[in-house]
Amino acid sequence: MIPIHGKSHDLGGGFTVTRILPQAGRRSVGPFVFFDYFGPVDFPPGRGIDVRPHPHIGLATITYLFDGAQIHRDSLGSVQEIRPGDVNWMTAGRGIVHSERTGAETRANGHRLHGIQSWIGLPMADEETLPSFQHAAAADLPEREENGVTLKLIAGSAFGLTAPVRTFSPIFYADVRFAPGGRLTIAPEHEERAFLVIEGEVQSGGDLHGAETAKPGTMMLLYPDEEVTLFAHGPVRVMLLGGAKLDGERHIWWNFVSSDRARIERAKQEWRDMAIGTIPGDDQEFIPLPEDRA
């Protein structure tokens, strides 16, 4: 296995975001081209997050929370509160605008925020697909319990389970909880695989290398065809992810992902012209392009 260490940024008030993908040493894992791990942070009453309207093209986003809540709004008219364990899969395709804000009740009461936002690159044939939004409640996601491990599948297919959200290429994404003494074997059923430790420490024994220990905040990339068994001496929480490689290089600029640099340039102008769309109920402000900021 190969460790991947992200770079952390303090956004103020103790709110830390760690960017694990992309980085110079590793641009993606399967179709995952962006992986931000944020929090945990405790917001006092009256405080929260306000990610103003901004655009995306050529990707799908998954927001997954361990603690807290956010309100998702987009230019399709979707309004959805995201709670821990729920899945929001937003397909940007040819272009979508969305915002993420702390809801009024949550903001008034104070709350802890802790979660992950990831971007999934779309196959070339689907980069210009119509935008769409899917929500799957935590109770609707498939689970399995075995050997002291509870595994919930968030997206894709793995471990004999299939999640309800529609995806565009082979992918898997799972939330895994270990009881003390739990163990889980990760077979090479997908082309690329990795895991991120959220809580506790997990030990691993692979068929190619010796035992290793992974601590919170560390992503471990598995070697191709490597079978690994994870062991937990105490309570542990791990995210598993991966899938098939994308069909070619992807360029990432700000919130835009595309196989074609010229398409990103067109998206810049579309955002300047407000041609990608506006959000009903949240159309009074927006995030400008980085190069247009004073």
Side-chain angles (χ1 to χ4, degrees), residues 163-266:
V165 299
R166 173 178 175 254
T167 60
F168 292 82
S169 62
I171 186 177
F172 78 103
Y173 194 22
D175 183 355
V176 184
R177 293 177 181 266
F178 292 76
R183 71 182 190 278
L184 175 70
T185 297
I186 308 174
E189 61 177 310
H190 283 273
E191 185 177 9
E192 294 189 337
R193 298 155 297 142
F195 65 86
L196 173 70
V197 182
I198 303 300
E199 299 170 0
E201 294 185 0
V202 67
Q203 286 71 46
S204 61
D207 55 7
L208 299 180
H209 297 270
E212 298 180 65
T213 298
K215 298 183 178 183
T218 299
M219 179 177 282
M220 301 295 289
L221 177 70
L222 277 62
Y223 291 102
D225 300 323
E226 179 181 18
E227 182 172 284
V228 170
T229 299
L230 304 183
F231 304 89
H233 296 301
V236 172
R237 191 170 195 175
V238 169
M239 302 296 289
L240 307 179
L241 63 142
K245 294 180 182 178
L246 288 168
D247 52 351
E249 182 184 4
R250 291 302 184 275
H251 307 289
I252 301 177
W253 187 88
W254 192 42
N255 299 316
F256 304 143
V257 174
S258 181
S259 59
D260 182 3
R261 289 188 186 276
R263 178 66 182 93
I264 290 178
E265 293 303 313
R266 293 200 305 274

Side-chain angles (χ1 to χ4, degrees), residues 6-9 15-21 34-40 64 66 113-118 196-199 216-219 237 239:
K7 188 173 183 179
S8 296
H9 300 274
F15 186 26
T16 300
V17 174
T18 301
R19 179 145 307 161
I20 300 174
L21 296 172
F34 179 96
F35 204 89
D36 263 6
Y37 173 52
F38 54 85
Y64 191 77
F66 306 117
L113 186 62
H114 185 200
I116 295 170
Q117 174 148 118
S118 51
L196 173 70
V197 182
I198 303 300
E199 299 170 0
T218 299
M219 179 177 282
R237 191 170 195 175
M239 302 296 289

